[in-house]
Amino acid sequence: MARGTLLLATLCAASPALGNPFSAARYRGLMGTAVDASGFSVYWNPAALGTLEGVHLSLHAGGVHRDASFDRAVEANGETPETAPYNSGEGTTEAWGVVPSIAGSYTLSLGEDFGLGLGAGFYIARAGLANWNRHPEASAAEPGAFDGPQRWGTISTRLVVATPTLAVGLTHKPTGLSLGVAPAFNLVSLSLNRARNPDQSTTLRDVEGRIAEGRILLEDGEAFAVTWVVGARWDVDRDLAFAVTWHQGADYQVEGKSFIQFGTADETTANARFPLQVADSIRLAAKIGVTDWMTLRSEVEWAGWSRMDKQEAVNLDDPDRPVLMRIERAFEDTLAARLRTDFRVAEAVVIHGGLEYETGATPPQTHEPGLAESDSVQIGVGGSFQLSEHLALTTSFIVHEFVDVEVTNSIQGPPQNGLYTDHRQYLTVDLEVTL
Amino acid sequence: MRALCLGLVALSLAACEDIPRKDYDDFRERTARARSEGQDGETGGSLQDLTGRWLLHALLQGGIDLGLIVELEPASEPVEGEIPRVYTSRIWLWRQDIPPVACDAGTPCPNNRTCNSYGTCDSPPLVVTTTTVNDDGTFQLIADPLDLGTEVLNSAEPVKARVIMNSRSTGPDNWCGDAEGSVVSPLTLNLAGSRFSAFRHVPQDWVCKVAVEDGEPRDCVGDEVADNKNYEHVYQALPFKCAAQPGDVEPPAPDMGVAPDGGPTRPAAPDLSAVDSMARDLTGNWLLDAKVNGAIPLQLWLSMIYTAGVDGSANLDGALRSVTASPGTPALATFTTTVGADGRFEIWLPGLSISTDLATVQADILLAGATLPDAICGIAAGQVNQPPLGALTERTTFHAEPWDPTTEVPMGRPFACPAE
């Protein structure tokens, strides 16, 4: 329970975004790539720890604003003139959140040829707090409509993957080659609530006029898994570096209690298990010092989201493990390409610019308002400021625009055909203390 | 590290709200009244000979429509002049042997099916059990386990249930009652409150008809004969619950307590004595925020003209409009009342009708209000007739503050009198 309380508390400070999907890893803002060398190398690439000197302490606060909408179609979802006022139309969500994280490292020399970096951190790599707007203007004739037309996909969700981590990196200075590894101890907490009928329909009333609409709540689900971050880095010279990392994915088996309220039936409860798949990802990055005042950094990332085929909550109280709820995913692997530029405009001031394109993991047929992402573009600006000999500030502002998606072939139950929009902005503030 | 983790916790807890749990609880609260209504009363039946085949139409919790075939056969050789009391019960899904396949001694049934006494083929029953009928005609028909297949819930896995049908025979051709038990797989669904009714039936009753939009159903042709959907009308035409009997508790009348003279009965005014109130001019436009039964928010534009009298009391004339209405729009309701010297008043709004883009709410509402230094507030009594929410609880409260109706509607305002 203590673990759950910790996760719950952390989640409340976590991002409202369910991105990449549900990625919250924006440590060091536009500086955050596999070639970054800072305290947050424990996340980005532990191989860089051996290239640092002395003590690095990194503090991160990532602010997120998200506004998204889902305009649920009428005929495409089988709604009738009688049910459409309650089950169709636009649902919206807008939220702000802050993701705090911390990391640090200590690097020592092993003779003249080797540098050994030891690191530790506590970060929130994936989080989501989706809370769709309520509709107090909805008719009281159908009590469920208060939760909006998107309620058949989601009403509210809380998810956090909080990760204490350790890391070690070793650098061979004569060649510039570094290797690093970091075990990540991932603690998952998940709660979600959505409208649900036993037959996966959006029926509001039975033939007798009794309320048929129901709800399913998965509360305080928890899981734990150890994953690994493995990285390599080659500093060819001061102006040229290459890096590659592998972030291991996981199939979290989140276990919690489900509460089910179907229509006018008595409430039932069941211990439930809900899988949460997180992709492996591989990043290839390069840093090129073009001139004394300009550096280019580029990165490509592949993420194996195809491992998220579907999510089935199963009833643990039944030895046959029957399915309580199924959400089709059929996610696809994603590719992202990032280009960052750094302009040193003064001895202590570097201006950053960034551009990114990422393919979406969610095919149209499995889009739903709870967890879905389309192709997206990010553009950002930022700056790094050496405030003193031992203290540096990095801040970035990033606009993240997702392509609108019109879904007409939903395979979800109930179907989630309609128009989806998603817009996010991030403001990151990072302090780096070096001793 | 631990200290930092605890720091995060401390920073976060103050603003933390368990939103999924709150949403879930709010929904249960909004639907609590609906769950408490409409349970059939337990009454006895009459002892009948139930031998034969029955088509059972059930409406299970969650809006699940279910048809079953039940065959009751005396467990022992019937005694002349006595009504059988113990039956062997066989239960099938209604669609298991649709369309009926004729058979006789010379035409055996295919696929492990058997030829029944009606000259059609039967699949093996889902459940075979023994049923004993009591003296008053009541009996329990227990189907455990009952495998309902996948179509009932449109699920990927077969639906399994434990169903206890508390039945009573109402005549030679009908028995009915309430069901209890639960669907146990793939999901858990408590069936208490489900209802059913069964009628005598022979396989030849299955008639294949295709629904025609805006017209009478037509006979099936070709492949339509093999489509189960074209037979559903046979059992869906049957009622799924017992007919009302003398002594049964009647459901609330549609007028929900309208007085015999045709006018709604004015409820007793809620007690507002705990709220400090003092008279003052209430003339102006007000934004009224209310919460119905403590759960359903409501906003209205309230216009009032306050005319003070010599004895400290006053006349109060007013109108209610939608907050989205433009000035000049006809009012939803108008009223005239008096305000006491202590600023307390009652506004009786019988037959109040509030139309939104989604639906129309009809209610008979009494607002008991008090005058605060900068607002008015109070408690509402009465009942909402459409939708049939019934009597308002004492948690139906309101709070109104001065407002310019040409400006945006502010949100997040109080909806009740301030706590003492």
Side-chain angles (χ1 to χ4, degrees):
Chain A
M1 184 52 73
R3 190 176 83 192
T5 304
L6 169 63
L7 291 174
L8 185 65
T10 308
L11 177 62
C12 292
S15 156
L18 289 168
N20 181 19
F22 50 88
S23 171
R26 295 189 176 273
Y27 321 118
R28 306 251 300 151
L30 291 171
M31 291 295 290
T33 68
V35 289
D36 182 47
S38 69
F40 272 111
S41 294
V42 300
Y43 175 81
W44 290 116
N45 187 352
L49 295 175
T51 68
L52 301 174
E53 292 182 356
V55 173
H56 284 247
L57 177 63
S58 300
L59 302 172
H60 168 80
V64 186
H65 171 254
R66 181 197 188 200
D67 65 281
S69 69
F70 170 44
D71 193 347
R72 193 166 189 271
V74 179
E75 292 181 0
N77 291 310
E79 301 297 344
T80 66
E82 289 74 31
T83 62
Y86 312 105
N87 290 338
S88 299
E90 188 175 56
T92 58
T93 180
E94 181 173 13
W96 300 80
V98 177
V99 178
S101 294
I102 184 171
S105 67
Y106 173 63
T107 304
L108 64 159
S109 293
L110 300 178
E112 291 188 353
D113 290 345
F114 289 95
L116 176 66
L118 305 173
F122 180 89
Y123 56 77
I124 299 167
R126 301 190 182 279
L129 179 59
N131 185 24
W132 288 72
N133 291 334
R134 306 300 181 264
H135 288 242
E137 78 284 3
S139 169
E142 297 300 343
F146 178 80
D147 290 326
Q150 88 300 324
R151 67 190 184 280
W152 300 101
T154 183
I155 298 170
S156 47
T157 302
R158 298 183 317 170
L159 165 70
V160 65
V161 182
T163 307
T165 187
L166 300 173
V168 60
L170 183 65
T171 297
H172 183 238
K173 296 177 181 176
T175 61
L177 289 173
S178 303
L179 294 173
V181 62
F185 308 96
N186 303 286
L187 307 165
V188 179
S189 176
L190 173 67
S191 292
L192 61 87
N193 177 38
R194 63 187 295 179
R196 188 74 174 168
N197 285 356
D199 59 356
Q200 302 180 53
S201 71
T202 57
T203 303
L204 301 168
R205 299 269 171 179
D206 64 22
V207 296
E208 198 184 8
R210 297 183 301 183
I211 289 175
E213 179 175 346
R215 293 286 185 274
I216 183 167
L217 167 70
L218 177 66
E219 187 172 42
D220 295 339
E222 293 185 3
F224 173 77
V226 178
T227 59
W228 294 85
V229 180
V230 179
R233 178 185 175 104
W234 180 28
D235 288 275
V236 180
D237 57 36
R238 180 176 170 275
D239 293 324
L240 183 62
F242 299 98
V244 57
T245 62
W246 168 58
H247 284 66
Q248 186 184 17
D251 288 335
Y252 298 107
Q253 300 297 318
V254 183
E255 295 189 7
K257 195 156 193 173
S258 62
F259 297 81
I260 302 166
Q261 176 63 67
F262 284 136
T264 58
D266 290 343
E267 180 189 43
T268 57
T269 62
N271 291 301
R273 179 192 298 148
F274 190 72
L276 178 67
Q277 303 93 332
V278 173
D280 288 81
S281 64
I282 295 174
R283 293 186 175 95
L284 298 172
K287 182 181 77 171
I288 305 167
V290 181
T291 67
D292 287 345
W293 52 270
M294 177 181 178
T295 300
L296 286 178
R297 290 175 290 116
S298 61
E299 183 178 75
V300 293
E301 177 183 356
W302 168 90
W305 281 108
S306 57
R307 76 190 303 163
M308 185 177 270
D309 180 44
K310 60 178 178 287
Q311 291 179 288
E312 289 182 336
V314 298
N315 183 350
L316 296 177
D317 297 335
D318 188 319
D320 294 335
R321 300 289 188 263
V323 177
L324 292 169
M325 179 176 68
R326 170 178 293 142
I327 305 174
E328 301 293 343
R329 296 298 184 198
F331 275 11
E332 299 163 348
D333 295 346
T334 62
L335 284 173
R338 304 182 179 96
L339 181 62
R340 308 272 167 81
T341 58
D342 308 323
F343 301 96
R344 182 170 294 281
V345 297
E347 182 61 27
V349 179
V350 178
I351 301 300
H352 309 298
L355 183 64
E356 174 176 342
Y357 177 78
E358 183 175 15
T359 61
T362 314
Q365 67 269 23
T366 63
H367 244 74
E368 50 88 46
L371 171 60
E373 287 197 347
S374 61
D375 296 353
S376 65
V377 174
Q378 297 182 49
I379 186 167
V381 295
S384 292
F385 309 93
Q386 192 67 43
L387 303 178
S388 70
E389 181 183 358
H390 299 295
L391 181 63
L393 167 70
T394 296
T395 184
S396 300
F397 178 71
I398 301 167
V399 175
H400 194 177
E401 289 291 305
F402 290 82
V403 174
D404 294 351
V405 178
E406 175 88 50
V407 177
T408 58
N409 58 345
S410 175
I411 61 172
Q412 301 288 5
Q416 301 293 346
N417 292 303
L419 178 65
Y420 295 78
T421 69
D422 200 343
H423 313 281
R424 304 172 196 174
Q425 301 86 40
Y426 313 103
L427 177 64
T428 64
V429 178
D430 290 83
L431 286 175
E432 180 90 354
V433 179
T434 56
L435 300 173
Chain B
M1 176 60 67
R2 179 175 175 79
L4 287 169
C5 294
L6 293 174
L8 285 174
V9 173
L11 285 172
S12 308
L13 276 178
C16 185
E17 185 179 21
D18 189 349
I19 295 171
R21 162 54 74 178
K22 181 176 183 301
D23 287 338
Y24 180 81
D25 288 343
D26 284 350
F27 175 77
R28 279 181 48 78
E29 185 173 325
R30 291 198 301 274
T31 56
R33 180 181 296 276
R35 282 194 300 280
S36 65
E37 291 175 344
Q39 304 300 318
D40 276 349
E42 287 291 330
T43 56
S46 59
L47 190 59
Q48 304 286 341
D49 184 352
L50 302 178
T51 303
R53 182 168 289 220
W54 303 79
L55 177 57
L56 184 149
H57 185 199
L59 181 64
L60 305 182
Q61 288 287 10
I64 302 168
D65 198 297
L66 177 67
L68 297 173
I69 299 292
V70 180
E71 184 159 278
L72 299 176
E73 180 184 1
S76 57
E77 193 67 28
V79 177
E80 184 71 27
E82 287 191 10
I83 296 176
R85 305 290 287 271
V86 181
Y87 296 87
T88 298
S89 309
R90 298 180 181 83
I91 302 174
W92 296 263
L93 285 180
W94 71 272
R95 62 174 177 274
Q96 273 188 270
D97 294 303
I98 298 296
V101 175
C103 60
D104 56 29
T107 311
C109 294
N111 303 327
N112 200 32
R113 293 198 283 180
T114 57
C115 194
N116 58 35
S117 58
Y118 308 97
T120 62
C121 295
D122 282 343
S123 297
L126 296 175
V127 176
V128 179
T129 185
T130 300
T131 302
T132 302
V133 180
N134 300 316
D135 292 341
D136 61 357
T138 61
F139 59 98
Q140 279 194 332
L141 186 60
I142 300 174
D144 182 15
L146 181 61
D147 189 336
L148 299 173
T150 59
E151 291 183 29
V152 168
L153 293 184
N154 189 29
S155 61
E157 299 176 47
V159 176
K160 297 175 183 173
R162 302 185 185 104
V163 184
I164 302 171
M165 288 174 267
N166 297 310
S167 314
R168 68 175 192 260
S169 52
T170 61
D173 301 320
N174 173 246
W175 46 276
C176 58
D178 298 335
E180 56 183 292
S182 61
V183 173
V184 295
S185 179
L187 44 78
T188 307
L189 171 61
N190 192 322
L191 294 177
S194 302
R195 298 165 181 172
F196 66 89
S197 192
F199 297 83
R200 289 196 181 276
H201 170 84
V202 295
Q204 287 73 20
D205 291 337
W206 292 117
V207 177
C208 187
K209 291 280 187 183
V210 177
V212 176
E213 191 172 355
D214 300 329
E216 289 294 314
R218 61 170 175 79
D219 293 339
C220 298
V221 295
D223 293 342
E224 293 168 348
V225 174
D227 188 345
N228 284 338
K229 286 284 180 188
N230 295 329
Y231 298 87
E232 284 182 348
H233 64 95
V234 175
Y235 81 87
Q236 287 182 342
L238 302 176
F240 48 80
K241 62 179 181 179
C242 300
Q245 294 185 336
D248 284 354
V249 177
E250 289 293 327
D255 59 9
M256 299 294 287
V258 170
D261 63 359
T265 302
R266 179 170 173 149
D271 181 11
L272 272 184
S273 58
V275 179
D276 291 335
S277 176
M278 59 181 300
R280 66 182 181 87
D281 189 353
L282 299 177
T283 300
N285 293 298
W286 303 72
L287 178 62
L288 184 145
D289 286 87
K291 211 153 218 189
V292 180
N293 292 345
I296 304 170
L298 178 68
Q299 283 190 313
L300 290 170
W301 165 20
L302 173 62
S303 302
M304 294 193 292
I305 298 175
Y306 182 95
T307 307
V310 293
D311 60 350
S313 64
N315 288 334
L316 188 63
D317 303 315
L320 281 169
R321 293 181 176 84
S322 163
V323 291
T324 59
S326 301
T329 303
L332 300 171
T334 58
F335 59 86
T336 294
T337 190
T338 57
V339 183
D342 61 354
R344 300 181 193 278
F345 57 89
E346 294 177 8
I347 300 174
W348 173 227
L349 300 167
L352 176 64
S353 179
I354 302 173
S355 295
T356 70
D357 293 339
L358 300 178
T360 298
V361 177
Q362 294 177 341
D364 305 315
I365 293 179
L366 175 67
L367 301 176
T371 304
L372 307 179
D374 55 357
I376 58 175
C377 67
I379 303 174
Q383 54 194 14
V384 179
N385 304 319
Q386 185 61 42
L389 296 180
L392 299 175
T393 70
E394 62 182 11
R395 297 181 62 204
T396 302
T397 58
F398 68 91
H399 184 279
E401 294 180 9
W403 175 59
D404 180 351
T406 62
T407 62
E408 291 288 320
V409 179
M411 305 297 287
R413 306 194 351 157
F415 51 82
C417 293
E420 289 180 85

